[in-house]
Amino acid sequence: MTTTKRTQTPSLDYWIHDADQHYYEPDDCYSRHIEERFKKKTMWIDRSNPDTPGRMYVGDERCQFFSVGAGDNIGAPGMMKAFLQGATEEGGSPSLNPINGLSVPEFVDAKARLARMDEQRVESSLMLPTTGVGIEPQLRASKHREALYPSVRAFNRWLEEDWGYGQDGRIFGAPMLTLVDLDEAVVELERLIKAGARFLVLTTGPVDGRAPGDPYFDPFWSRVEEAGLNIVFHIGNTPFGEMYSKPWGLRPAPPSHRHSLMEYFLAFTERPVMDTVVSLIADNLFGRFPKLRVLSIEYGSGWVAPMLGKLEKLARLYSKDMWRFGAPPMSPTETFRQNVWVAPFYEDDVVGLVETIGASQVLNGSDYPHPEGLAEPIEFVQELAGLDDDSVQRVMRENFAALIA
């Protein structure tokens, strides 16, 4: 690979890897493989009225994050691109000119998606939940908690059946897990490792009053590191609404795409992942497990440089209580550059991110087929103008390839 400096949009003569693609789940993704006694205690969709979108429930309670089926009324892939790049004021709602995502084969079927990936020149992709990122925090509530782990296990078995964990070398489905019960989490983790999982989606934020980097969870992190799994934090429902919004008199769990401005700012932008990554660094998780790999997906990247700047300043201050679980062996920035990968929004300053954390830590992610993503994943290369060939190839291909090697 050459290192010629670019001033125009790069052109690619190789297929890419995509670190952020999605499916739209069927109605039975949580109930197909769950024990009979939990079928109406997990996520299910009421389709008794054929003239309206399906109403989503968690047990006997309306789903807080997705009030209707997440794929029922969606925007077409990439329809918000011009709006998000500031080229127009039209297209600010992801549900304008909605389509039924469950009726599009490539959105719901792995074989159809593979054919679409061939057209897109995508060699492999990280395949992530849509409905799945909105359910786990609600299942943590005491009234639903007995169904939490049965639901997680059932969702993962559905994922194995319909999409797989990358055994084909192309579609790497990422199962879900929760640390609410450490013993249960480790049992399911072992099953997922044996099933071939390479990625694992966790919800950002604390777990029942404990930081995820607390040594209490070390048995989990130790096994993740040993198995070489990649931990994924993806935007979605989190406990941050309860933590941040409620004290301001705001709703702790507003529906997706119906947040007030303040609710959005506090709990549905970069705040959850930023605070979570700071917690992992501050609690020396990466000092104890230096080979852990953490991916931030669909939280953008505008938070990275300010966060690292603040941490570097704070880390220079003396306090005998600065490090709860031992001082990290490296600076916050060095730690980040070793253990954290970021998939930025295409509307971000992607070149600036590369300059901040290095090309080796930046991932191309299209968010296909979501309306706020890219219709053609290869369009992401347009944001890399000015980078040398080596850096472009790292972002568009090599970094993800190394994570699945």
Side-chain angles (χ1 to χ4, degrees):
M1 292 183 287
T2 66
T3 57
T4 304
K5 198 71 174 178
R6 296 184 182 275
T7 57
Q8 297 179 341
T9 299
S11 59
L12 303 181
D13 58 3
Y14 48 83
W15 285 37
I16 68 172
H17 297 287
D18 192 340
D20 183 18
Q21 290 206 6
H22 292 265
Y23 42 72
Y24 287 108
E25 295 93 327
D27 290 5
D28 67 348
C29 63
Y30 278 93
S31 59
R32 184 189 303 176
H33 293 291
I34 205 168
E35 296 92 327
E36 187 65 33
R37 66 191 180 96
F38 292 115
K39 283 188 182 294
K40 284 295 184 178
K41 295 182 179 181
T42 189
M43 189 284 290
W44 60 283
I45 298 181
D46 178 7
R47 295 200 180 275
S48 58
N49 186 344
D51 298 324
T52 63
R55 294 165 63 90
M56 190 180 292
Y57 287 84
V58 175
D60 59 358
E61 181 179 54
R62 192 74 179 271
C63 183
Q64 296 165 348
F65 196 69
F66 295 117
S67 57
V68 300
D72 285 17
N73 285 280
I74 60 169
M79 65 161 288
M80 297 179 68
K81 181 181 179 182
F83 171 82
L84 291 171
Q85 290 184 322
T88 178
E89 290 305 308
E90 301 296 325
S93 170
S95 58
L96 290 175
N97 303 311
I99 60 175
N100 182 350
L102 300 180
S103 68
V104 182
E106 68 199 56
F107 297 176
V108 297
D109 178 76
K111 290 183 179 179
R113 177 60 68 85
L114 283 171
R116 183 69 180 115
M117 287 168 59
D118 288 343
E119 296 171 351
Q120 296 171 328
R121 301 180 69 227
V122 173
E123 183 172 329
S124 72
S125 65
L126 174 56
M127 203 64 65
L128 294 160
T130 299
T131 298
V133 298
I135 305 299
E136 187 261 352
Q138 190 168 353
L139 283 167
R140 290 188 191 186
S142 57
K143 68 177 296 184
H144 303 299
R145 186 163 289 200
E146 68 169 335
L148 174 59
Y149 278 93
S151 297
V152 168
R153 291 191 295 265
F155 182 91
N156 292 339
R157 288 187 172 93
W158 161 79
L159 179 62
E160 292 169 28
E161 185 171 272
D162 278 23
W163 293 90
Y165 294 150
Q167 290 86 347
D168 62 356
R170 301 198 65 189
I171 291 179
F172 289 83
M176 308 281 293
L177 202 48
T178 176
L179 297 178
V180 167
D181 184 306
L182 180 59
D183 291 338
E184 290 264 30
V186 170
V187 169
E188 177 64 0
L189 174 63
E190 292 292 350
R191 192 190 71 79
L192 293 171
I193 292 170
K194 290 179 182 178
R198 307 298 299 276
F199 297 86
L200 193 63
V201 178
L202 295 180
T203 301
T204 52
V207 183
D208 283 357
R210 278 194 173 100
D214 188 308
Y216 172 82
F217 296 113
D218 279 3
F220 172 83
W221 294 117
S222 175
R223 191 66 182 101
V224 168
E225 181 187 54
E226 181 183 27
L229 266 67
N230 302 289
I231 296 296
V232 177
F233 291 118
H234 187 282
I235 196 168
N237 194 11
T238 74
F240 281 84
E242 186 73 31
M243 295 166 56
Y244 295 154
S245 296
K246 196 172 181 180
W248 291 91
L250 304 170
R251 297 169 296 173
S256 173
H257 306 303
R258 290 185 180 177
H259 291 65
S260 72
L261 180 63
M262 189 67 170
E263 289 166 346
Y264 213 109
F265 180 82
L266 289 173
F268 199 53
T269 52
E270 66 270 15
R271 183 77 178 264
V273 75
M274 180 172 64
D275 286 5
T276 301
V277 170
V278 168
S279 173
L280 299 180
I281 293 173
D283 287 341
N284 197 25
L285 180 68
F286 301 119
R288 300 195 302 278
F289 304 106
K291 294 181 181 179
L292 276 179
R293 299 191 294 252
V294 169
L295 281 57
S296 171
I297 307 291
E298 211 174 323
Y299 278 107
S301 61
W303 54 277
V304 175
M307 180 202 75
L308 291 176
K310 176 66 74 175
L311 286 181
E312 290 296 331
K313 180 178 180 179
L314 293 176
R316 292 179 61 239
L317 300 173
Y318 173 76
S319 168
K320 65 180 180 180
D321 298 320
M322 180 69 74
W323 308 108
R324 297 196 303 162
F325 305 117
M330 298 186 295
S331 73
T333 298
E334 290 171 329
T335 301
F336 194 101
R337 289 175 174 170
Q338 174 177 284
N339 297 99
V340 182
W341 283 254
V342 177
F345 295 139
Y346 57 80
E347 67 268 24
D348 287 348
D349 178 7
V350 181
V351 173
L353 178 67
V354 169
E355 293 170 348
T356 299
I357 62 174
S360 64
Q361 305 306 115
V362 180
L363 298 169
N364 154 50
S366 71
D367 195 31
Y368 184 85
H370 289 173
E372 63 270 29
L374 295 170
E376 298 296 332
I378 206 164
E379 294 174 19
F380 192 89
V381 77
Q382 297 169 2
E383 312 310 318
L384 304 180
L387 296 180
D388 59 73
D389 289 345
D390 178 74
S391 295
V392 171
Q393 188 161 342
R394 283 177 180 272
V395 173
M396 297 300 295
R397 179 177 172 82
E398 302 304 333
N399 293 338
F400 187 80
L403 294 174
I404 59 176

